[in-house]
């Protein structure tokens, strides 16, 4: 049996960061992963360019049963800290919209950097090791794998959640947490496309059409692109609100976020011969304009091909209100297979927000996506991985 100061389960973002930092503090660290290579999710992120952090990171942009839990780790290891590491390795980067930082080259550079940092601290990374058993006795954790047995006084669970199962993702972290008596908040897909049925099925005909909107659900609103798909709704705005959406609730979409509540009345006065359909086709893709105009006509709110001058002001106000808060009723999501991350997870009530250590199991640490902390789209979840991994490493 090989002995270490700490064993990290999972060679993803949080696990590698934790192993690197702990190693640089003089700890002898082993990282174990069942996949054939480290950092598989990092490699596919951001279209292969890795949206590695967001300079707008604040605790309010994370979901958790305890909204304050992430504050400590995020404040002690910030986007600026990780960016300094990226620049130390000479990795070129650029900022896209909304504070998102991407590699100018490849996500492979981030994985190589992390592995180099682990090696610099004297750590070892072994891949292709399936974990068959984990036990704890006399202050030592013993991990049995398909290729050996290892022990350490500290064990870090960094195996993520079940999102993107084709990458080998599972609920292993939750099973292990329950083994040690820790509570798990019901996991659910997050940052995931929504599916439409019933009266909304018509919108599937718009597959491939996108438009900038404000989407709202569960008290949260996001202004970004929405994309219609053959199954329902996707695009950044929809992925964002999906984390807040609950089954049975509607999603409201403002298709004209730059228009005032009275814009149709203003158009009536300026161009009384214009039609609703023509106006919509001026400000959004034709296919979308046609479907929205037809649906408004079917609802009786407005006749889409009539000149505005013939339509009552109250009718135009109703049509404008409908376009500003179009209510979709998703019948589900595309599930963990299409979810970028998992919401829910190992309860923060079980952990120290400073060290990520389990309160009832000394020496057991949980970091990254496995924890009930989920960030917005756009680099926030990577920052949580870096920050939580770093925080645990300071305590090992």
């Amino acid at each position: 049996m090989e002995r270490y100061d700490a064993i990290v389960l999972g060679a993803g973002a949080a696990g590698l960061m934790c192993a690197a930092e702990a190693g640089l503090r003089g700890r002898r660290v082993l990282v174990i992963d069942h996949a054939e290579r480290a950092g598989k999710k990092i490699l596919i992120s951001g279209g292969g360019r890795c949206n590695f952090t967001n300079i707008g990171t604040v605790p309010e942009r994370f979901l958790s049963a305890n909204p304050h839990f992430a504050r400590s780790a995020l404040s002690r290891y910030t986007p600026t800290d990780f960016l300094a590491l990226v620049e130390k390795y000479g990795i070129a980067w650029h900022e896209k919209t909304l504070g998102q930082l991407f590699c100018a080259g490849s996500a492979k550079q981030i994985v190589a950097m992390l592995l180099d940092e682990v090696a610099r601290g004297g750590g070892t990374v072994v891949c292709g090791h399936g974990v068959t058993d984990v036990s704890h006795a006399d202050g030592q954790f013993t991990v049995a794998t398909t290729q050996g047995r290892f022990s350490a006084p500290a064990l870090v669970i960094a195996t993520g959640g079940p999102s993107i199962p084709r990458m080998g993702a599972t609920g292993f972290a939750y099973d292990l947490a329950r083994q040690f008596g820790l509570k798990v908040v019901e996991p659910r897909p997050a940052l995931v496309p929504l599916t439409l049925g019933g009266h909304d099925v018509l919108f599937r005909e718009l597959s491939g059409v996108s438009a900038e909107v404000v989407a709202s659900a569960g008290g949260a609103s996001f202004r970004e692109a929405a994309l219609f798909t053959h199954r329902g709704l996707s695009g950044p705005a929809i992925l964002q609100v999906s984390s807040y959406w609950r089954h049975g609730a509607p999603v409201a979409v403002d298709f004209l976020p730059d228009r005032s509540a009275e814009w149709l009345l203003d158009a009536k006065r300026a161009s009384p011969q214009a039609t609703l359909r023509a106006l919509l086709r001026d400000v959004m893709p034709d296919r979308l304009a046609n479907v929205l105009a037809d649906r408004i006509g079917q609802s009786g709110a407005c006749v889409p091909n009539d000149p505005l001058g013939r339509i009552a002001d109250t009718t135009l106000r109703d049509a404008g209100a409908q376009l500003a808060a179009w209510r979709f009723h998703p019948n589900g999501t595309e599930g963990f297979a299409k979810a970028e991350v998992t919401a829910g997870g190992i309860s923060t009530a079980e952990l120290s927000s400073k060290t990520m250590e389990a309160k009832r199991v000394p020496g057991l640490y949980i970091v990254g996506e496995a924890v009930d902390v989920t960030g917005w789209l756009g680099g926030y979840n990577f920052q949580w991985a870096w920050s939580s991994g770093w925080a645990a490493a300071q305590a090992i």
Side-chain angles (χ1 to χ4, degrees):
M1 178 136 49
E2 294 186 58
R3 301 186 183 279
Y4 293 84
D5 295 323
I7 296 172
V8 178
L9 300 180
L16 291 176
M17 171 59 82
C18 183
E21 289 294 326
L24 293 170
R25 294 183 60 248
R27 306 299 185 262
R28 186 166 181 256
V29 183
L30 173 68
V31 183
I32 300 172
D33 201 297
H34 69 108
E36 71 280 2
R37 65 190 299 190
K40 288 183 71 175
K41 280 191 178 180
I42 299 174
L43 293 171
I44 68 166
S45 66
R49 295 184 184 272
C50 189
N51 179 192
F52 57 80
T53 193
N54 193 298
I55 57 175
T57 297
V58 290
E60 291 74 20
R61 295 181 176 182
F62 292 80
L63 291 77
S64 174
N66 177 359
H68 302 293
F69 181 85
R71 190 176 302 275
S72 175
L74 292 172
S75 67
R76 289 182 296 132
Y77 191 85
T78 68
T80 302
D81 294 321
F82 190 77
L83 185 57
L85 180 61
V86 169
E87 292 185 330
K88 173 186 166 184
Y89 275 78
I91 299 172
W93 59 275
H94 63 275
E95 179 182 348
K96 284 192 176 180
T97 57
L98 305 174
Q100 303 168 31
L101 304 191
F102 285 76
C103 294
S106 168
K108 293 177 182 177
Q109 296 172 285
I110 298 295
V111 175
M113 175 191 78
L114 293 168
L115 290 174
D116 192 69
E117 285 289 285
V118 173
R120 200 163 70 86
T124 301
V125 179
V126 294
C127 292
H129 281 236
V131 175
T132 57
D133 185 66
V134 177
S135 59
H136 182 224
D138 301 324
Q140 291 286 315
F141 293 90
T142 300
V143 178
T145 78
T146 50
Q147 300 189 42
R149 288 167 60 83
F150 313 92
S151 73
L155 178 69
V156 182
I157 300 175
T159 55
S163 59
I164 319 182
R166 66 183 171 84
M167 303 297 296
T170 70
F172 177 78
Y174 312 143
D175 296 336
L176 200 51
R178 292 186 183 103
Q179 176 185 323
F180 287 105
L182 307 185
K183 295 177 182 176
V184 175
V185 176
E186 182 67 29
R188 68 182 193 280
L191 302 182
V192 63
L194 301 174
T195 57
L196 297 175
H199 295 300
D200 291 330
V201 124
L202 171 67
F203 285 91
R204 293 187 194 171
E205 298 174 7
L206 295 174
S207 181
V209 173
S210 66
E212 184 175 351
V213 305
V214 173
S216 304
S221 296
F222 296 89
R223 179 169 178 163
E224 290 190 70
L227 171 70
F228 291 93
T229 73
H230 69 286
R231 297 192 65 189
L233 296 168
S234 189
I238 300 302
L239 297 182
Q240 293 280 37
V241 296
S242 73
S243 297
Y244 295 83
W245 177 77
R246 292 292 189 275
H247 280 277
V251 170
V253 173
D254 182 352
F255 283 107
L256 297 166
D258 292 321
R259 302 282 164 160
S260 72
E262 300 282 295
W263 75 280
L264 283 176
L265 277 71
D266 295 338
K268 175 182 177 177
R269 287 188 285 271
S271 304
Q273 294 305 309
T275 66
L276 175 63
R277 188 185 304 277
L279 287 174
L280 292 181
R281 292 178 70 153
D282 283 343
V283 295
M284 63 179 65
D286 287 357
R287 287 169 62 196
L288 176 59
N290 287 335
V291 169
L292 293 177
D294 289 342
R295 289 296 292 268
I296 289 172
Q298 291 166 15
S299 71
C302 182
V303 179
N305 295 318
D306 276 1
L308 298 183
R310 295 185 189 173
I311 302 173
D313 287 0
T314 54
T315 301
L316 291 178
R317 284 195 184 94
D318 290 344
Q322 193 170 346
L323 289 163
W326 199 283
R327 290 167 73 84
F328 290 96
H329 294 84
N331 59 9
T333 76
E334 292 198 28
F336 287 116
K338 298 292 185 179
E340 297 204 11
V341 292
T342 303
I346 298 166
S347 174
T348 57
E350 302 282 6
L351 308 175
S352 161
S353 62
K354 182 177 181 181
T355 66
M356 309 304 295
E357 185 176 19
K359 296 173 182 177
R360 294 185 285 169
V361 188
L364 179 64
Y365 300 81
I366 300 147
V367 297
E369 187 184 354
V371 181
D372 175 31
V373 173
T374 306
W376 285 6
L377 184 72
Y380 293 96
N381 289 291
F382 271 127
Q383 186 57 47
W384 170 245
W386 316 137
S387 297
S388 60
W390 182 92
Q394 309 312 303
I396 293 171

